[in-house]
Amino acid sequence: MHTKTHSINPNSALERLTRPSENMTDQVQRQQARTLARLSLALLLSLPITLPVWIISMREFTAVPYISTGILLATSLMYGLSRTRFYRAGAGTLVSTILVVVVVSLLTTPPGPITAVRLLPLKFLAAAVLVSSMFLRRRITLLVIGFSLTLIAAFFFVPEIPYMITYAYLIFFLVITALGIIGFTFEQYSKRRLIDSEKRYRSLIAALSEGVVLYARDGTIDACNAAAERILGLTAQQMMDRSSVNPRWRAVHEDGSPFPGEDHPAMFTLRTGQPCTDVIMGVHQPDGQLRWISINSQPLIQPGDPLPHAAVISFSDITQRKQRDRQLQEAQHRYYALFEQAHEAVFILDLEGQHLEANQRAAEMLGYTVAEIQHLVTNDLTAEPVESQHIHERLLAGEHVPMYERFFRKKDGTPVPVEIRVELVRDLAGKPLHIQSVVRDITERKQAEEALRQSEARQYAMLSAIPDLIFRNHIDGTYLDYHAPNPSLLFMAPELFMGKKITDVLPKALAQPLMALNQQVAQTKQMGIYEYTAFLDGKEHHFEARIVPLGVDEVLSISSDITERKQAQAREIELAVEKERVQLLTTFIQNASHEFRTPLTIINTTAFVMARLLEPEKRQQKLAVIQKQVERMTKLIDMLLVMTRLENSVATRQTWVDIGTIFDTVCQNMAVQYSGGPKIQCQEQINLPQVRGNPEDLQEVLRQVLHNACRFTPKDSAVHVSAGVAETHIWLEIRDMGPGIPPEKLSRIFETFWREDEMHSTPGFGLGLPIAQKIITRHGGKIKVESKMGQGSTFRVILPIRSEN
């Protein structure tokens, strides 16, 4: 327990003049030092009066001034030493001074009555013994006593001093010394017991978990224990610097309002002398944390005083209790809020079935008020009392009752289907307290269940009318359910595939794509369609499976037999193909007949004229015309044969072809052929990569595109031919300087027999570009065209090159 370093008013001059050294912590030593200081101070204050009197009265005693000076110096030294931790040396100085003064006085006593003068200093020997016993060790005290007895006993051998006077001095010394020593010994014993008691008291106070504070009459703090420091967050010195009315306590009531210092239990007790108990106060620690304490105060009243001279305050930290109380209140508020706002009806019953409490939802559900329900028992509400009584007995027997359904009866008698969860509530010791019942109105659910049952019946009837096969599968392929109005369409008996996976019962070629589609549908949540063929009863059946997501990890597969539809589609396709073939053949015959009719007409006319000509030269000219038309027909027949081969997808031998060589060869041949027409400018090609194809067909492509460019390019202009290579293909570009192709006709240039001139007055058959396109397509390439009116056209042929792999 911490106390102030003084118990007397710090403003007292005597306290300041006799205060022992701060280095001394032992209370007995401090008390001895304070006593010695007071004794020394008393001597110093009395010596200026007694010494001059002694000197004047003893003028014949020449040593008195010197002895007086020595006494004064010794007393001053003793006072100085009493204020330090060497106070025992001061006590030794006093004892030594007394002994020296006695001896010197005896030796320097002037002539006179020996009994009155020489024996007078012996009285001070008792004072030396008393001082020694008070402040010095027992061994030193015994030495002082022995010395004093020896000095007194020596006077028995002085003839001038009567025996009885010396004996009387001896008896006086012994009695005074014994009384003094005994009295001081008892006083020291009492002080020691008091100090020990105080130590035990302080140890007990220090060990308390409750804070203890001692308030002085003026409201200042004189002492406190460690628990008080811990609870208040202040050191002992910080608390002793405050009074109860100090605003730095920042005390508050439980409602948060300020707690004035004048109303502090300590101040109330000091003011009225009445104790206080269980006063709740909130105190802010220096770090701002609020601590709640419960305070008791007790007055300390001395006999005869109307008011206490001090007050003892004890307090305990109830912060956690306050927090628990607040949490309990909050929990009760939450429980009450849940109780009242719960969607379900809640009933609390005693063990006999009497309703103790019910929430508003219960009252609304049954048409009663809460007060009316509190006057009812279980059988007053249930429409099935026997079953309810059975549940009550099972519950009281300690059996767990799972959720069950019953019928309650409203106030107007209407039955209400309910779902009940009932529980026996026990205390911490396991003793039953009451029954809590949570009741949910399931009227809507029952209606929904009935509607669902009817809907399922309707859906089952509708499902039975569906002719398709329906399978429900887990996303891992496991068959969970099926619907088969025509069991003959199943690939196997249900007991052979139910519960098994698709990969376990279907052929691998069918199972793998079905599994992949199932997982895709489950992930994307979008329908997937898959067609497959199965042989059932020796016949080929075509099925279309529409797979849709069903729930989180299931899919529904609806398989429709589309065999008849497939057959109808096949027949439709055959008819369409046949119709298209007839149409193409008709168109081809019409176009071909037109192309043949013109040269045949020319040949017929020329032959008729030639038969009537007699001049050889003219006949020769007509023959040349006939030969030219024959060549034209031959060329047309050749091109028709090529078209026929390409249309019928007749495969041609393909090898790795050096396209650069073909490019150069065609360019040279065409330059010779059109030596009198437009100039053909071919860009020199070096190290063009090989392509996969037929060399004759690729030459045909370049010839046809170049023929087309030369036919439409003026004779005084040029056709530019170039080639190049990209990362995955090579390109051949042929750019003419012709009139260009109108944008609206650009998409028709690759149609068979199509020519921009509908009267067919321009050269050509309309077969060159279609032939080129079909050859390029069969070689995996493309042919593109760009044209601007008045600026010519550019044809670009793209062919894939040989891969390094």
Side-chain angles (χ1 to χ4, degrees):
M1 184 171 180
H2 304 277
T3 61
K4 289 185 177 180
T5 57
H6 56 282
S7 59
I8 304 177
N9 191 341
N11 296 323
S12 171
L14 179 60
E15 167 62 22
R16 291 197 303 271
L17 293 174
T18 60
R19 183 180 301 162
S21 172
E22 296 293 340
N23 295 327
M24 299 171 59
T25 58
D26 187 87
Q27 295 297 322
V28 175
Q29 293 180 356
R30 292 180 64 85
Q31 186 63 33
Q32 287 180 344
R34 183 179 289 109
T35 303
L36 182 60
R38 292 177 179 178
L39 178 60
S40 303
L41 186 60
L43 289 175
L44 285 175
L45 294 176
S46 62
L47 285 178
I49 299 174
T50 57
L51 288 179
V53 174
W54 188 33
I55 294 173
I56 294 172
S57 63
M58 297 292 292
R59 292 178 181 177
E60 69 279 6
F61 190 10
T62 57
V64 169
Y66 302 104
I67 295 175
S68 299
T69 303
I71 292 174
L72 183 61
L73 293 175
T75 304
S76 300
L77 177 62
M78 179 180 64
Y79 174 72
L81 291 173
S82 69
R83 302 294 302 279
T84 68
R85 59 189 181 92
F86 303 105
Y87 73 95
R88 295 183 189 275
T93 301
L94 178 59
V95 172
S96 301
T97 301
I98 294 174
L99 295 178
V100 170
V101 169
V102 171
V103 173
V104 172
S105 298
L106 291 176
L107 295 178
T108 59
T109 301
I114 191 69
T115 58
V117 178
R118 289 194 174 186
L119 296 181
L120 184 62
L122 294 178
K123 296 179 180 180
F124 292 97
L125 293 175
V129 174
L130 291 177
V131 172
S132 178
S133 63
M134 289 175 60
F135 302 105
L136 301 179
R137 301 183 184 278
R138 186 176 301 176
R139 182 180 302 174
I140 297 176
T141 302
L142 292 176
L143 290 176
V144 173
I145 293 174
F147 177 78
S148 300
L149 289 175
T150 302
L151 187 60
I152 295 173
F155 283 90
F156 281 105
F157 301 98
V158 178
E160 295 86 358
I161 300 176
Y163 176 80
M164 291 304 297
I165 293 176
T166 303
Y167 183 73
Y169 267 95
L170 180 61
I171 295 302
F172 170 79
F173 172 79
L174 292 175
V175 171
I176 295 300
T177 301
L179 291 175
I181 293 175
I182 292 172
F184 181 73
T185 301
F186 275 108
E187 181 183 1
Q188 290 295 104
Y189 176 73
S190 298
K191 287 183 178 180
R192 177 58 64 180
R193 292 194 62 184
L194 179 61
I195 291 172
D196 291 342
S197 176
E198 184 178 357
K199 286 183 177 180
R200 289 194 295 271
Y201 160 74
R202 293 179 184 277
S203 299
L204 176 62
I205 296 300
L208 289 176
S209 60
E210 292 185 346
V212 178
V213 177
L214 177 64
Y215 279 87
R217 182 68 185 87
D218 59 358
T220 59
I221 296 176
D222 274 352
C224 65
N225 65 348
E229 296 182 59
R230 173 179 53 79
I231 294 173
L232 299 178
L234 297 170
T235 64
Q237 187 60 43
Q238 289 173 330
M239 281 192 284
M240 291 175 185
D241 290 339
R242 297 185 183 184
S243 64
S244 296
V245 296
N246 195 312
R248 287 186 294 171
W249 288 111
R250 292 187 294 165
V252 295
H253 286 285
E254 288 184 277
D255 60 0
S257 61
F259 200 124
E262 295 79 7
D263 296 341
H264 192 284
M267 300 307 297
F268 175 81
T269 298
L270 290 171
R271 187 170 59 250
T272 64
Q274 299 296 321
C276 295
T277 58
D278 199 21
V279 177
I280 307 300
M281 177 189 293
V283 179
H284 288 86
Q285 292 184 338
D287 60 0
Q289 184 177 2
L290 179 63
R291 309 292 293 185
W292 290 98
I293 56 177
S294 176
I295 306 174
N296 298 320
S297 64
Q298 189 69 31
L300 298 180
I301 304 177
Q302 294 180 349
D305 291 341
L307 293 176
H309 67 88
V312 176
I313 307 299
S314 64
F315 53 88
S316 58
D317 187 352
I318 61 170
T319 304
Q320 293 184 353
R321 190 186 78 186
K322 292 284 288 183
Q323 293 174 348
R324 288 194 296 269
D325 291 344
R326 184 172 66 252
Q327 292 172 355
L328 178 60
Q329 291 177 356
E330 292 175 354
Q332 289 175 343
H333 287 315
R334 289 194 297 268
Y335 173 77
Y336 183 76
L338 291 173
F339 181 77
E340 285 298 329
Q341 298 177 9
H343 181 69
E344 293 87 359
V346 182
F347 301 89
I348 299 178
L349 307 89
D350 63 15
L351 301 181
E352 301 299 326
Q354 178 70 42
H355 288 89
L356 302 176
E357 188 61 82
N359 65 352
Q360 188 61 33
R361 172 58 181 159
E364 294 172 356
M365 182 178 72
L366 299 177
Y368 293 94
T369 65
V370 173
E372 289 174 336
I373 293 177
Q374 292 174 345
H375 292 86
L376 302 176
V377 297
T378 304
N379 290 342
D380 294 332
L381 298 180
T382 181
E384 302 167 292
V386 176
E387 291 79 359
S388 297
Q389 182 63 31
H390 179 61
I391 292 293
H392 186 78
E393 293 173 356
R394 290 173 57 192
L395 196 65
L396 294 181
E399 183 179 347
H400 171 69
V401 178
M403 185 168 57
Y404 60 96
E405 295 182 2
R406 284 286 182 272
F407 277 94
F408 272 15
R409 194 175 301 279
K410 291 186 176 182
K411 187 177 181 180
D412 59 5
T414 304
V416 181
V418 295
E419 182 180 74
I420 303 175
R421 297 189 302 275
V422 64
E423 181 180 0
L424 183 63
V425 180
R426 303 175 182 270
D427 60 13
L428 296 178
K431 181 179 178 181
L433 293 178
H434 58 263
I435 299 171
Q436 179 172 295
S437 175
V438 180
V439 180
R440 175 181 294 178
D441 185 350
I442 57 174
T443 302
E444 294 183 357
R445 193 185 78 185
K446 286 293 185 180
Q447 294 172 350
E449 289 176 352
E450 177 61 23
L452 178 62
R453 186 188 63 78
Q454 296 178 3
S455 175
E456 288 178 347
R458 290 192 299 270
Q459 291 178 3
Y460 181 77
M462 294 172 61
L463 183 64
S464 299
I466 296 176
D468 297 332
L469 297 174
I470 301 177
F471 301 95
R472 183 168 65 92
N473 296 82
H474 192 270
I475 57 175
D476 64 359
T478 303
Y479 285 96
L480 304 177
D481 200 359
Y482 78 99
H483 165 73
N486 185 4
S488 63
L489 295 179
L490 291 174
F491 47 86
M492 63 179 63
E495 59 270 13
L496 298 180
F497 66 81
M498 285 299 298
K500 297 182 181 180
K501 295 183 179 180
I502 292 176
T503 53
D504 296 334
V505 298
L506 293 182
K508 184 177 181 181
L510 177 59
Q512 287 183 346
L514 272 178
M515 279 298 299
L517 188 58
N518 281 357
Q519 295 174 357
Q520 176 184 339
V521 169
Q523 292 175 359
T524 62
K525 304 301 180 183
Q526 295 181 355
M527 183 180 70
I529 299 178
Y530 177 72
E531 294 186 3
Y532 63 94
T533 303
F535 287 89
L536 304 174
D537 298 332
K539 297 180 181 179
E540 184 181 62
H541 287 261
H542 299 278
F543 291 91
E544 179 185 72
R546 297 184 302 279
I547 302 176
V548 295
L550 183 66
V552 178
D553 53 2
E554 294 182 4
V555 295
L556 194 69
S557 177
I558 305 172
S559 296
S560 304
D561 188 351
I562 59 172
T563 304
E564 294 183 0
R565 189 180 75 187
K566 280 288 187 181
Q567 292 173 351
Q569 289 178 349
R571 289 192 294 270
E572 290 177 359
I573 292 173
E574 290 177 358
L575 290 174
V577 170
E578 184 63 25
K579 183 177 180 180
E580 183 178 2
R581 183 182 295 111
V582 171
Q583 181 65 33
L584 289 175
L585 182 59
T586 302
T587 303
F588 179 81
I589 292 173
Q590 289 176 351
N591 291 329
S593 62
H594 177 76
E595 295 296 337
F596 277 106
R597 186 179 295 111
T598 299
L600 287 174
T601 300
I602 295 173
I603 291 173
N604 186 36
T605 302
T606 304
F608 177 78
V609 174
M610 181 181 175
R612 288 165 175 75
L613 292 177
L614 300 177
E615 296 86 352
E617 294 181 359
K618 290 184 179 181
R619 292 175 62 86
Q620 191 65 33
Q621 291 176 356
K622 296 300 181 181
L623 180 61
V625 172
I626 292 173
Q627 289 177 345
K628 183 178 181 179
Q629 294 302 318
V630 171
E631 291 176 359
R632 175 180 172 84
M633 293 178 63
T634 303
K635 183 177 180 181
L636 176 59
I637 292 171
D638 291 339
M639 295 183 72
L640 289 175
L641 290 175
V642 172
M643 282 295 296
T644 302
R645 177 171 59 84
L646 295 175
E647 288 288 350
N648 293 330
S649 299
V650 178
T652 58
R653 181 178 59 86
Q654 292 189 352
T655 60
W656 289 108
V657 179
D658 185 354
I659 194 64
T661 301
I662 293 176
F663 181 84
D664 294 336
T665 300
V666 173
C667 284
Q668 292 174 6
N669 293 338
M670 294 299 294
V672 172
Q673 183 176 350
Y674 286 93
S675 58
K679 186 176 181 181
I680 299 176
Q681 296 180 349
C682 294
Q683 176 184 344
E684 184 179 358
Q685 301 300 320
I686 301 176
N687 298 328
L688 286 177
Q690 292 183 334
V691 297
R692 183 79 176 175
N694 185 278
E696 290 79 9
D697 288 346
L698 292 177
Q699 288 182 13
E700 186 67 24
V701 170
L702 289 177
R703 281 196 299 269
Q704 294 298 339
V705 178
L706 274 172
H707 274 304
N708 183 76
C710 291
R711 281 197 299 270
F712 292 96
T713 300
K715 293 183 178 182
D716 57 351
S717 187
V719 175
H720 299 275
V721 184
S722 61
V725 62
E727 183 177 356
T728 59
H729 62 273
I730 64 170
W731 52 268
L732 306 174
E733 191 172 271
I734 300 171
R735 180 164 54 89
D736 63 47
M737 302 301 293
I741 305 171
E744 67 275 8
K745 298 180 179 180
L746 197 61
S747 60
R748 302 192 61 190
I749 61 175
F750 294 106
E751 293 181 9
T752 305
F753 292 114
W754 183 87
R755 281 184 283 180
E756 183 181 358
D757 178 15
E758 296 182 357
M759 298 303 295
H760 293 190
S761 60
T762 56
F765 304 110
L767 295 175
L769 291 180
I771 290 174
Q773 184 190 45
K774 291 184 181 297
I775 293 174
I776 292 300
T777 302
R778 296 186 65 173
H779 282 73
K782 298 178 181 179
I783 181 169
K784 300 179 180 180
V785 60
E786 296 179 359
S787 182
K788 293 183 179 180
M789 296 302 295
Q791 298 182 14
S793 304
T794 300
F795 289 83
R796 188 178 183 89
V797 176
I798 298 174
L799 293 170
I801 62 177
R802 180 176 184 178
S803 173
E804 294 296 332
N805 296 330

